[in-house]
Amino acid sequence: MVISLEAFQTVSVNNEGVAQVGGGVRLGNLATGIYNQSKRALPHGICPGVGIGGHATHGGYCKWHILIRPIGIITTFHFQTLLAPTSMVNWNYIVPVSSGEEAAAAFSHIQDFALNASVIDDKIGFGVVPSPASFRIHGKYRGDEAVFKTKIAPELLRSLPAPSETSIKSLEWLVSLADEWGSPLPQPLSGYDEHDNFYAKSVVVPEATPLTPSALLNFFTYIVNSASTYPPVWFAELNLYGGPSSRINSPSPLAANSAYSHRDTLWVAQLYSTVPTAADGGEKAAIEFVQGLNDALGMGYDGYQNYVDPGLSAEEAHEAYYGSEVYARLLRVKEAVDPEHVFWNPQAVGEA
């Protein structure tokens, strides 16, 4: 049974900056509703059509903070909002690379940049999207455009191949979101019908053990050498979760008790491919391609529960997503509030 929360569309903000949000609200409408009422904002992901229910309960990503995870059905959320920035610097570079070796060296520099406290703090967030011939490095800076251009960008680009494309622009908050998303913020309140058949895996890289030169070389060589076997639509993206002043890795006491366990992370990689329907064929090849991306980065890393990997067993998912300590807490809650396992999926808490 699937329960629709489409009718729960309320977004309101009280005088203390607490937003009351219906369980059916999508992120574009959430951001618009909060800002238009209060000039405030929330940390959340970048896809306007994503619903708040799965996004917040699994732990949506933003450099400010990370959200939460419960057990059960949530019809109404209450979020403590933040003052929205008066402006954001949206930035984007396309950096050409000609080989796996050049790509690995370039990302090694980007990783050093991500750990450099002279340029990285909680005002900046970014991701790296590799392809066979280039990187897309894109992000947002919650500060002055001149500081980004004169201090941060030069250090990022130092030793990288000259970008083939550059975009740096200072934008009002909602405009910056629409620009990053590449689509309007408002989403339909009913009849939403955007879907994708896909397979995804994730890799959580600890800050104490960043990606090694050999792992980077394996990963980027795999991307370059597998060009002829790519699925029709695929991507890999490595997002910065850690680095100096990361709010994710240094949460408030309340957030520290949430079900998000990876509070020592540098990167989270999402590895994704569309999967053709059975009539089209190619399911096996698409899944194997994503598995190859994962294997190239190296085994033994944890995973991120918002990039659900259906290839994991329940036990593997519990360990990868939560670790033993957090999972034990979740299991106690599950046994207390849902002993009959009414709320179920193949990797649900309590499954074995």
Side-chain angles (χ1 to χ4, degrees):
M1 180 175 66
V2 176
I3 299 172
S4 173
L5 298 180
E6 186 178 84
F8 295 85
Q9 294 290 341
T10 300
V11 177
S12 62
V13 185
N14 68 19
N15 292 335
E16 285 74 45
V18 175
Q20 180 175 310
V21 179
V25 173
R26 299 184 185 275
L27 297 187
N29 297 334
L30 172 73
T32 303
I34 290 175
Y35 184 81
N36 287 344
Q37 290 180 48
S38 63
K39 298 297 184 287
R40 298 181 73 86
L42 269 179
H44 50 66
I46 65 170
C47 299
V50 166
I52 191 64
H55 187 68
T57 56
H58 283 190
Y61 159 70
C62 174
K63 184 66 173 175
W64 270 343
H65 296 283
I66 199 159
L67 298 182
I68 54 175
R69 181 184 176 107
I71 295 172
I73 295 175
I74 297 179
T75 58
T76 303
F77 293 87
H78 293 85
F79 296 119
Q80 179 61 60
T81 61
L82 304 165
L83 282 174
T86 55
S87 66
M88 294 290 292
V89 178
N90 286 21
W91 53 275
N92 183 76
Y93 297 101
I94 304 298
V95 176
V97 291
S98 59
S99 65
E101 290 82 1
E102 186 175 28
F107 192 91
S108 182
H109 167 72
I110 295 169
Q111 184 164 256
D112 290 342
F113 167 81
L115 293 167
N116 185 344
S118 72
V119 286
I120 294 293
D121 58 22
D122 63 354
K123 294 180 179 179
I124 193 167
F126 69 90
V128 180
V129 182
S131 71
S134 68
F135 285 158
R136 177 181 177 230
I137 314 171
H138 67 103
K140 300 171 81 73
Y141 176 60
R142 187 164 43 93
D144 185 76
E145 182 177 346
V147 172
F148 179 82
K149 287 182 174 179
T150 60
K151 180 181 179 182
I152 298 172
E155 179 59 25
L156 169 63
L157 299 176
R158 181 179 58 80
S159 82
L160 295 183
S164 59
E165 296 180 29
T166 297
S167 174
I168 303 171
K169 44 193 172 183
S170 185
L171 303 169
E172 177 268 337
W173 173 245
L174 289 184
V175 178
S176 78
L177 294 180
D179 176 76
E180 183 176 18
W181 291 342
S183 63
L185 302 186
Q187 299 295 304
L189 300 182
S190 63
Y192 186 90
D193 196 30
E194 293 289 331
H195 303 285
D196 194 7
N197 191 44
F198 67 92
Y199 181 71
K201 297 183 78 71
S202 61
V203 176
V204 174
V205 180
E207 192 163 284
T209 54
L211 290 167
T212 64
S214 61
L216 292 172
L217 181 60
N218 289 340
F219 182 65
F220 292 113
T221 300
Y222 179 85
I223 290 175
V224 171
N225 291 347
S226 301
S228 62
T229 64
Y230 288 149
V233 179
W234 72 277
F235 71 84
E237 178 158 14
L238 295 94
N239 285 308
L240 179 66
Y241 274 47
S245 303
S246 167
R247 299 282 187 92
I248 297 172
N249 289 352
S250 301
S252 68
L254 180 61
N257 292 323
S258 73
Y260 181 76
S261 60
H262 303 302
R263 300 291 183 177
D264 57 355
T265 299
L266 180 60
W267 303 106
V268 172
Q270 182 181 16
L271 314 172
Y272 175 105
S273 172
T274 58
V275 176
T277 63
D280 296 330
E283 306 98 317
K284 184 172 183 288
I287 292 170
E288 288 179 347
F289 175 76
V290 173
Q291 185 64 53
L293 286 170
N294 181 83
D295 293 347
L297 275 176
M299 305 301 289
Y301 290 118
D302 289 335
Y304 175 39
Q305 58 263 46
N306 241 21
Y307 303 151
V308 175
D309 178 359
L312 298 179
S313 68
E315 294 90 343
E316 290 170 332
H318 299 159
E319 180 60 32
Y321 297 156
Y322 308 115
S324 57
E325 181 180 346
V326 170
Y327 182 74
R329 287 196 282 113
L330 289 171
L331 185 59
R332 289 195 294 270
V333 174
K334 178 75 170 180
E335 291 171 343
V337 303
D338 184 25
E340 302 301 321
H341 291 216
V342 173
F343 300 104
W344 178 90
N345 68 63
Q347 298 173 352
V349 173
E351 294 304 308

